[in-house]
Amino acid sequence: SRRAPDPGPWPGHAHGLTQRQSEVVALIACGKSNREIVLALHLSMNTVKSYIRNAYRTMGVRTRSQAVIWALGHGFGGSGGA
């Protein structure tokens, strides 16, 4: 029985994203606002913004649109959740 290659512990891991950054990026890829991410992950707005800022730096993007494109091209789903 063949198995698909292991993508790593979470999407983005191979590119240097932490698990929490990956959770935030996944929610961004699903179209969630910062406020919706705060509510979904039970974090403060400042914490969410910090995760986003650091994730963008790691991904080499500057805008939310670029982040979504990067995420969809690197194994993050875009429909429904993290």
Side-chain angles (χ1 to χ4, degrees):
S1 68
R2 288 183 138 168
R3 293 197 311 194
D6 184 6
W10 57 83
H13 177 262
H15 302 281
L17 292 177
T18 67
Q19 187 169 3
R20 192 58 121 176
Q21 288 170 347
S22 293
E23 291 172 0
V24 171
V25 169
L27 291 170
I28 289 171
C30 291
K32 303 294 184 191
S33 69
N34 288 3
R35 181 74 181 136
E36 290 170 318
I37 295 169
V38 163
L39 295 173
L41 299 181
H42 308 287
L43 300 170
S44 74
M45 181 62 76
N46 284 340
T47 300
V48 167
K49 287 180 178 181
S50 177
Y51 281 127
I52 291 170
R53 201 169 37 250
N54 291 327
Y56 282 15
R57 187 177 305 120
T58 299
M59 296 182 319
V61 303
R62 292 182 178 268
T63 68
R64 203 170 191 94
S65 296
Q66 290 172 338
V68 170
I69 292 166
W70 187 97
L72 294 177
H74 289 84
F76 289 82
S79 59

Coordinates of all heavy atoms in Angstrom, one line a residue:
S1 N 0.8 -1.2 0.0 CA 0.0 0.0 0.0 C 0.9 1.2 0.0 O 1.8 1.4 0.8 CB -0.9 0.0 1.2 OG -0.2 0.2 2.4
R2 N 0.6 2.1 -0.9 CA 1.4 3.3 -1.1 C 0.8 4.4 -0.2 O -0.4 4.6 -0.1 CB 1.4 3.8 -2.5 CG 2.2 3.0 -3.4 CD 2.2 3.6 -4.8 NE 3.5 3.6 -5.4 CZ 3.8 3.9 -6.6 NH1 2.8 4.2 -7.4 NH2 5.0 3.8 -7.1
R3 N 1.7 5.2 0.4 CA 1.3 6.4 1.2 C 1.8 7.6 0.6 O 2.9 7.6 0.0 CB 1.8 6.2 2.6 CG 1.1 5.1 3.3 CD 1.3 5.1 4.8 NE 2.6 5.4 5.3 CZ 3.0 5.2 6.5 NH1 2.2 4.7 7.4 NH2 4.2 5.5 6.9
A4 N 1.1 8.7 0.7 CA 1.5 10.0 0.2 C 2.7 10.4 1.0 O 2.9 10.1 2.2 CB 0.4 11.0 0.4
P5 N 3.6 11.2 0.4 CA 4.8 11.7 1.1 C 4.4 12.5 2.3 O 3.4 13.3 2.3 CB 5.5 12.6 0.1 CG 4.8 12.5 -1.2 CD 3.5 11.7 -1.0
D6 N 5.1 12.4 3.4 CA 4.8 13.2 4.6 C 5.2 14.6 4.4 O 6.3 15.0 4.2 CB 5.6 12.6 5.8 CG 5.4 13.2 7.1 OD1 4.4 14.0 7.2 OD2 6.0 12.9 8.1
P7 N 4.2 15.5 4.6 CA 4.5 17.0 4.4 C 5.1 17.6 5.6 O 5.5 18.8 5.5 CB 3.1 17.6 4.2 CG 2.2 16.7 5.0 CD 2.8 15.3 4.9
G8 N 5.4 16.9 6.6 CA 5.9 17.4 7.9 C 4.8 17.5 8.9 O 3.7 17.2 8.6
P9 N 5.2 18.0 10.1 CA 4.2 18.0 11.2 C 3.1 19.0 10.9 O 2.0 18.8 11.4 CB 5.0 18.5 12.4 CG 6.5 18.4 12.0 CD 6.5 18.3 10.5
W10 N 3.3 20.0 10.1 CA 2.2 21.0 9.8 C 2.6 21.7 8.5 O 3.8 21.8 8.2 CB 1.9 22.0 10.9 CG 3.1 22.8 11.3 CD1 3.6 23.9 10.7 CD2 4.0 22.5 12.4 NE1 4.7 24.3 11.4 CE2 5.0 23.5 12.4 CE3 4.1 21.5 13.4 CZ2 6.0 23.5 13.4 CZ3 5.1 21.5 14.3 CH2 6.1 22.5 14.3
P11 N 1.6 22.3 7.8 CA 2.0 23.0 6.6 C 2.9 24.2 6.9 O 2.7 24.8 8.0 CB 0.6 23.5 6.1 CG -0.4 22.6 6.7 CD 0.2 22.2 8.0
G12 N 3.9 24.4 6.1 CA 4.8 25.6 6.4 C 6.0 25.2 7.3 O 6.9 26.0 7.3
H13 N 6.0 24.0 7.9 CA 7.1 23.6 8.8 C 8.4 23.6 8.0 O 9.4 24.1 8.5 CB 6.8 22.2 9.4 CG 7.9 21.7 10.2 ND1 8.8 20.8 9.7 CD2 8.2 21.9 11.5 CE1 9.7 20.5 10.7 NE2 9.3 21.2 11.8
A14 N 8.4 23.0 6.8 CA 9.6 22.9 6.0 C 10.1 24.3 5.6 O 11.3 24.4 5.2 CB 9.4 22.1 4.8
H15 N 9.3 25.3 5.7 CA 9.7 26.7 5.3 C 10.0 27.6 6.5 O 10.2 28.8 6.4 CB 8.6 27.3 4.4 CG 8.4 26.5 3.2 ND1 9.2 26.5 2.1 CD2 7.4 25.6 2.9 CE1 8.7 25.7 1.2 NE2 7.7 25.1 1.7
G16 N 10.0 27.0 7.7 CA 10.4 27.7 8.9 C 9.3 28.4 9.7 O 9.6 29.1 10.7
L17 N 8.0 28.1 9.4 CA 6.9 28.6 10.2 C 6.7 27.8 11.4 O 6.8 26.5 11.3 CB 5.6 28.6 9.4 CG 5.5 29.6 8.2 CD1 4.2 29.4 7.5 CD2 5.7 31.0 8.6
T18 N 6.4 28.4 12.5 CA 6.1 27.7 13.7 C 4.7 27.1 13.6 O 3.9 27.6 12.7 CB 6.1 28.6 15.0 OG1 5.1 29.6 14.9 CG2 7.5 29.3 15.2
Q19 N 4.3 26.2 14.4 CA 3.0 25.6 14.4 C 1.9 26.7 14.5 O 0.9 26.8 13.8 CB 2.8 24.6 15.4 CG 1.5 23.8 15.2 CD 1.4 22.6 16.1 OE1 2.3 22.3 16.8 NE2 0.3 21.8 15.9
R20 N 2.1 27.6 15.5 CA 1.1 28.7 15.7 C 1.1 29.7 14.5 O 0.0 30.1 14.1 CB 1.4 29.4 17.0 CG 0.3 30.3 17.4 CD -1.0 29.6 17.6 NE -1.5 29.7 19.0 CZ -2.6 29.2 19.4 NH1 -3.4 28.5 18.6 NH2 -2.9 29.4 20.7
Q21 N 2.2 30.0 14.0 CA 2.2 30.9 12.8 C 1.5 30.2 11.6 O 0.7 30.8 10.9 CB 3.6 31.2 12.3 CG 4.4 32.1 13.2 CD 5.9 32.2 12.9 OE1 6.4 31.4 12.1 NE2 6.5 33.2 13.4
S22 N 1.6 28.9 11.5 CA 0.9 28.1 10.4 C -0.6 28.1 10.7 O -1.3 28.2 9.7 CB 1.5 26.7 10.4 OG 2.8 26.7 9.9
E23 N -1.0 28.0 11.9 CA -2.4 28.1 12.2 C -3.0 29.5 11.8 O -4.1 29.5 11.2 CB -2.7 27.9 13.7 CG -2.4 26.5 14.2 CD -2.5 26.4 15.7 OE1 -2.7 27.4 16.4 OE2 -2.2 25.2 16.2
V24 N -2.3 30.5 12.1 CA -2.7 31.9 11.7 C -2.7 32.0 10.2 O -3.7 32.5 9.6 CB -1.8 32.9 12.4 CG1 -2.1 34.3 11.8 CG2 -2.0 32.9 13.9
V25 N -1.7 31.6 9.5 CA -1.6 31.6 8.0 C -2.8 30.9 7.4 O -3.4 31.3 6.5 CB -0.3 31.2 7.5 CG1 -0.3 31.0 6.0 CG2 0.8 32.1 7.9
A26 N -3.1 29.7 8.0 CA -4.2 28.9 7.5 C -5.5 29.6 7.6 O -6.3 29.6 6.6 CB -4.3 27.6 8.2
L27 N -5.7 30.3 8.7 CA -6.9 31.1 8.8 C -7.0 32.3 7.9 O -8.0 32.6 7.3 CB -7.1 31.6 10.3 CG -7.4 30.4 11.3 CD1 -7.3 30.9 12.7 CD2 -8.7 29.8 11.0
I28 N -5.8 32.9 7.6 CA -5.7 34.0 6.7 C -6.1 33.5 5.3 O -6.8 34.1 4.5 CB -4.3 34.7 6.7 CG1 -4.1 35.5 7.9 CG2 -4.1 35.5 5.4 CD1 -2.7 36.0 8.2
A29 N -5.6 32.3 4.9 CA -5.8 31.7 3.6 C -7.3 31.4 3.5 O -7.8 31.3 2.3 CB -5.0 30.4 3.5
C30 N -8.0 31.2 4.6 CA -9.5 30.9 4.5 C -10.3 32.2 4.5 O -11.5 32.2 4.5 CB -9.9 30.1 5.8 SG -9.3 28.4 5.7
G31 N -9.6 33.3 4.5 CA -10.3 34.6 4.4 C -10.7 35.2 5.7 O -11.5 36.2 5.8
K32 N -10.1 34.7 6.8 CA -10.5 35.2 8.1 C -9.8 36.6 8.4 O -8.7 36.8 8.0 CB -10.1 34.3 9.3 CG -10.7 32.9 9.1 CD -12.2 32.9 9.3 CE -12.7 31.5 9.3 NZ -14.2 31.5 9.2
S33 N -10.5 37.5 9.1 CA -9.9 38.7 9.5 C -9.1 38.5 10.8 O -9.2 37.5 11.4 CB -11.1 39.7 9.8 OG -11.8 39.3 11.0
N34 N -8.3 39.6 11.1 CA -7.5 39.5 12.3 C -8.5 39.3 13.5 O -8.1 38.5 14.4 CB -6.7 40.7 12.5 CG -5.5 40.8 11.6 OD1 -5.3 40.0 10.7 ND2 -4.7 41.9 11.7
R35 N -9.6 39.9 13.6 CA -10.5 39.8 14.7 C -11.1 38.4 14.7 O -11.2 37.8 15.8 CB -11.7 40.8 14.5 CG -12.7 40.8 15.6 CD -12.2 41.4 16.9 NE -13.2 41.3 17.9 CZ -13.0 40.9 19.2 NH1 -11.7 40.7 19.5 NH2 -13.9 40.9 20.0
E36 N -11.4 37.8 13.6 CA -11.9 36.4 13.6 C -10.8 35.4 14.1 O -11.1 34.5 14.7 CB -12.3 36.0 12.2 CG -13.6 36.7 11.8 CD -14.0 36.6 10.3 OE1 -13.1 36.6 9.5 OE2 -15.2 36.3 10.0
I37 N -9.5 35.7 13.7 CA -8.4 34.9 14.2 C -8.3 35.0 15.7 O -8.1 34.0 16.4 CB -7.1 35.3 13.5 CG1 -7.2 35.0 12.0 CG2 -5.9 34.6 14.0 CD1 -6.1 35.5 11.1
V38 N -8.4 36.2 16.2 CA -8.3 36.4 17.7 C -9.4 35.6 18.4 O -9.1 34.9 19.3 CB -8.6 37.9 18.0 CG1 -9.0 38.1 19.5 CG2 -7.4 38.8 17.6
L39 N -10.6 35.6 17.9 CA -11.7 34.8 18.5 C -11.5 33.3 18.3 O -11.7 32.5 19.2 CB -13.0 35.2 17.9 CG -13.4 36.7 18.2 CD1 -14.7 37.1 17.4 CD2 -13.6 36.9 19.6
A40 N -11.0 32.9 17.1 CA -10.8 31.4 16.9 C -9.7 30.8 17.7 O -9.8 29.7 18.2 CB -10.5 31.2 15.4
L41 N -8.6 31.6 17.9 CA -7.5 31.0 18.6 C -7.3 31.5 20.0 O -6.4 31.1 20.7 CB -6.2 31.4 17.8 CG -6.1 30.8 16.4 CD1 -4.8 31.2 15.7 CD2 -6.3 29.3 16.4
H42 N -8.3 32.3 20.5 CA -8.3 32.8 21.9 C -6.9 33.5 22.2 O -6.3 33.2 23.2 CB -8.6 31.7 22.9 CG -9.8 30.9 22.5 ND1 -11.0 31.4 22.7 CD2 -9.9 29.7 21.9 CE1 -11.9 30.5 22.3 NE2 -11.3 29.5 21.8
L43 N -6.5 34.4 21.3 CA -5.3 35.2 21.5 C -5.7 36.7 21.5 O -6.8 37.1 21.1 CB -4.3 34.9 20.3 CG -3.9 33.5 20.2 CD1 -3.1 33.4 18.8 CD2 -3.0 33.1 21.3
S44 N -4.7 37.5 22.0 CA -5.0 39.0 21.9 C -4.7 39.4 20.5 O -4.0 38.8 19.7 CB -4.0 39.7 22.9 OG -2.7 39.7 22.4
M45 N -5.2 40.6 20.2 CA -5.0 41.2 18.9 C -3.5 41.4 18.6 O -2.9 41.2 17.6 CB -5.7 42.5 18.7 CG -5.6 43.2 17.4 SD -6.2 42.2 16.0 CE -7.9 42.4 16.1
N46 N -2.8 41.9 19.7 CA -1.3 42.2 19.5 C -0.6 40.9 19.2 O 0.4 40.9 18.4 CB -0.8 42.8 20.8 CG -1.1 44.3 20.9 OD1 -1.5 44.9 19.9 ND2 -1.0 44.9 22.1
T47 N -1.0 39.8 19.9 CA -0.3 38.5 19.6 C -0.6 38.0 18.2 O 0.3 37.6 17.5 CB -0.8 37.5 20.6 OG1 -0.5 37.9 22.0 CG2 -0.2 36.1 20.4
V48 N -1.8 38.2 17.7 CA -2.1 37.8 16.4 C -1.3 38.6 15.4 O -0.7 38.1 14.4 CB -3.6 37.9 16.1 CG1 -3.9 37.8 14.6 CG2 -4.4 36.8 16.9
K49 N -1.2 39.9 15.6 CA -0.5 40.8 14.7 C 1.0 40.4 14.7 O 1.7 40.4 13.7 CB -0.7 42.2 15.1 CG -2.0 42.8 14.7 CD -2.2 44.2 15.1 CE -3.5 44.8 14.7 NZ -3.7 46.2 15.0
S50 N 1.5 40.0 15.9 CA 2.9 39.6 16.0 C 3.1 38.3 15.2 O 4.1 38.2 14.4 CB 3.3 39.4 17.4 OG 4.6 38.9 17.5
Y51 N 2.2 37.3 15.3 CA 2.4 36.1 14.5 C 2.3 36.4 13.0 O 3.1 35.8 12.3 CB 1.3 35.1 14.9 CG 1.5 34.4 16.2 CD1 0.5 34.3 17.2 CD2 2.7 33.7 16.4 CE1 0.7 33.6 18.4 CE2 2.9 33.0 17.6 CZ 1.9 32.9 18.6 OH 2.1 32.3 19.7
I52 N 1.4 37.3 12.6 CA 1.3 37.6 11.2 C 2.6 38.3 10.7 O 3.1 37.9 9.7 CB 0.1 38.5 11.0 CG1 -1.2 37.7 11.2 CG2 0.1 39.1 9.6 CD1 -2.5 38.6 11.2
R53 N 3.1 39.2 11.5 CA 4.3 40.0 11.1 C 5.5 39.0 10.9 O 6.2 39.0 9.9 CB 4.6 41.0 12.1 CG 5.5 42.1 11.7 CD 5.5 43.3 12.7 NE 5.5 42.9 14.1 CZ 4.4 43.1 15.0 NH1 3.3 43.7 14.5 NH2 4.5 42.7 16.2
N54 N 5.6 38.1 11.9 CA 6.8 37.2 11.8 C 6.6 36.1 10.7 O 7.5 35.7 10.1 CB 6.9 36.5 13.2 CG 7.5 37.5 14.2 OD1 8.2 38.4 13.9 ND2 7.1 37.3 15.5
A55 N 5.3 35.7 10.5 CA 5.1 34.7 9.4 C 5.3 35.4 8.1 O 6.0 34.7 7.2 CB 3.6 34.2 9.5
Y56 N 4.9 36.6 7.9 CA 5.1 37.3 6.6 C 6.6 37.4 6.4 O 7.1 37.2 5.2 CB 4.5 38.7 6.6 CG 3.1 38.8 6.4 CD1 2.2 37.7 6.5 CD2 2.5 40.0 6.2 CE1 0.8 37.8 6.4 CE2 1.1 40.2 6.0 CZ 0.3 39.1 6.1 OH -1.1 39.2 5.9
R57 N 7.4 37.7 7.4 CA 8.8 37.8 7.2 C 9.4 36.5 6.8 O 10.2 36.4 5.9 CB 9.5 38.3 8.5 CG 11.0 38.6 8.4 CD 11.5 39.1 9.7 NE 10.8 40.3 10.2 CZ 10.2 40.4 11.4 NH1 10.2 39.4 12.2 NH2 9.6 41.6 11.7
T58 N 9.0 35.4 7.5 CA 9.5 34.1 7.2 C 9.1 33.7 5.7 O 9.9 33.1 5.0 CB 8.9 33.0 8.2 OG1 9.4 33.4 9.5 CG2 9.4 31.6 7.8
M59 N 7.9 34.0 5.3 CA 7.4 33.6 4.0 C 7.9 34.6 2.9 O 7.8 34.2 1.7 CB 5.8 33.7 4.0 CG 5.2 32.7 4.9 SD 3.4 32.6 4.9 CE 2.9 34.3 4.8
G60 N 8.5 35.7 3.3 CA 9.0 36.7 2.3 C 7.9 37.4 1.6 O 8.0 37.7 0.4
V61 N 6.8 37.7 2.3 CA 5.7 38.4 1.7 C 5.5 39.7 2.5 O 5.9 39.9 3.6 CB 4.4 37.6 1.6 CG1 4.6 36.3 0.8 CG2 3.8 37.3 3.0
R62 N 4.7 40.7 1.9 CA 4.5 41.9 2.5 C 3.0 42.2 2.7 O 2.6 43.1 3.5 CB 5.1 43.1 1.7 CG 6.6 43.1 1.7 CD 7.1 44.3 0.9 NE 8.6 44.3 1.0 CZ 9.3 45.0 1.9 NH1 8.7 45.7 2.8 NH2 10.6 45.0 1.8
T63 N 2.1 41.6 1.9 CA 0.7 41.9 2.0 C -0.1 40.6 2.3 O 0.4 39.5 2.1 CB 0.2 42.4 0.7 OG1 0.2 41.4 -0.3 CG2 1.0 43.7 0.2
R64 N -1.3 40.8 2.7 CA -2.2 39.7 3.0 C -2.5 38.9 1.7 O -2.5 37.6 1.8 CB -3.5 40.2 3.6 CG -4.3 39.2 4.5 CD -5.4 40.0 5.2 NE -6.0 39.1 6.2 CZ -5.7 39.1 7.5 NH1 -4.7 39.9 7.9 NH2 -6.3 38.3 8.3
S65 N -2.7 39.6 0.6 CA -2.9 38.9 -0.6 C -1.7 38.0 -1.0 O -1.9 36.8 -1.4 CB -3.2 39.9 -1.8 OG -4.4 40.6 -1.5
Q66 N -0.5 38.5 -0.8 CA 0.7 37.7 -1.1 C 0.7 36.5 -0.2 O 1.1 35.4 -0.6 CB 1.9 38.5 -1.0 CG 2.1 39.6 -2.1 CD 3.3 40.5 -1.8 OE1 3.7 40.6 -0.6 NE2 3.8 41.1 -2.8
A67 N 0.3 36.7 1.1 CA 0.3 35.6 2.1 C -0.6 34.5 1.7 O -0.3 33.3 1.8 CB 0.0 36.2 3.4
V68 N -1.8 34.9 1.2 CA -2.8 33.9 0.8 C -2.2 33.1 -0.4 O -2.3 31.9 -0.4 CB -4.1 34.6 0.4 CG1 -5.1 33.6 -0.3 CG2 -4.8 35.1 1.7
I69 N -1.7 33.8 -1.4 CA -1.1 33.1 -2.6 C 0.0 32.2 -2.1 O 0.1 31.0 -2.6 CB -0.6 34.1 -3.6 CG1 -1.8 34.9 -4.2 CG2 0.2 33.5 -4.7 CD1 -1.5 36.1 -5.0
W70 N 0.9 32.6 -1.3 CA 2.0 31.8 -0.8 C 1.4 30.5 -0.1 O 1.8 29.4 -0.3 CB 2.8 32.6 0.2 CG 4.1 31.9 0.6 CD1 5.3 32.0 0.1 CD2 4.2 30.9 1.7 NE1 6.2 31.2 0.8 CE2 5.5 30.5 1.7 CE3 3.3 30.3 2.6 CZ2 6.0 29.5 2.7 CZ3 3.8 29.4 3.5 CH2 5.1 29.0 3.5
A71 N 0.4 30.8 0.8 CA -0.1 29.7 1.6 C -0.8 28.6 0.7 O -0.6 27.4 0.9 CB -1.2 30.2 2.6
L72 N -1.5 29.1 -0.3 CA -2.2 28.1 -1.1 C -1.2 27.3 -2.0 O -1.5 26.2 -2.3 CB -3.2 28.8 -2.0 CG -4.4 29.5 -1.3 CD1 -5.3 30.2 -2.2 CD2 -5.2 28.4 -0.5
G73 N -0.1 27.9 -2.3 CA 1.0 27.2 -3.0 C 1.9 26.4 -2.2 O 2.7 25.7 -2.7
H74 N 1.7 26.4 -0.9 CA 2.6 25.6 0.0 C 1.8 24.7 1.0 O 2.2 24.5 2.1 CB 3.4 26.6 0.9 CG 4.5 27.3 0.0 ND1 4.2 28.4 -0.7 CD2 5.8 26.9 -0.2 CE1 5.4 28.8 -1.3 NE2 6.3 27.9 -1.0
G75 N 0.7 24.2 0.5 CA 0.0 23.1 1.2 C -1.0 23.5 2.2 O -1.5 22.7 3.0
F76 N -1.4 24.8 2.3 CA -2.4 25.3 3.2 C -3.8 25.2 2.4 O -3.8 25.6 1.3 CB -2.2 26.7 3.6 CG -1.1 26.9 4.6 CD1 0.2 27.0 4.1 CD2 -1.3 26.9 5.9 CE1 1.3 27.1 5.0 CE2 -0.2 27.1 6.8 CZ 1.1 27.2 6.3
G77 N -4.8 24.7 3.1 CA -6.1 24.7 2.4 C -6.7 26.1 2.4 O -6.2 27.0 3.1
G78 N -7.7 26.3 1.7 CA -8.3 27.6 1.6 C -9.8 27.6 1.9 O -10.5 28.5 1.6
S79 N -10.3 26.5 2.4 CA -11.7 26.4 2.5 C -12.2 25.7 3.8 O -12.3 24.5 3.9 CB -12.3 25.5 1.3 OG -11.7 24.3 1.3
G80 N -12.4 26.5 4.8 CA -13.0 26.0 6.0 C -12.3 26.1 7.3 O -12.9 26.3 8.3
G81 N -11.0 25.9 7.4 CA -10.4 26.0 8.7 C -9.0 25.7 8.7 O -8.4 25.4 7.6
A82 N -8.4 25.6 9.8 CA -6.9 25.4 10.0 C -6.5 24.0 9.7 O -7.2 23.1 9.9 CB -6.4 25.9 11.3

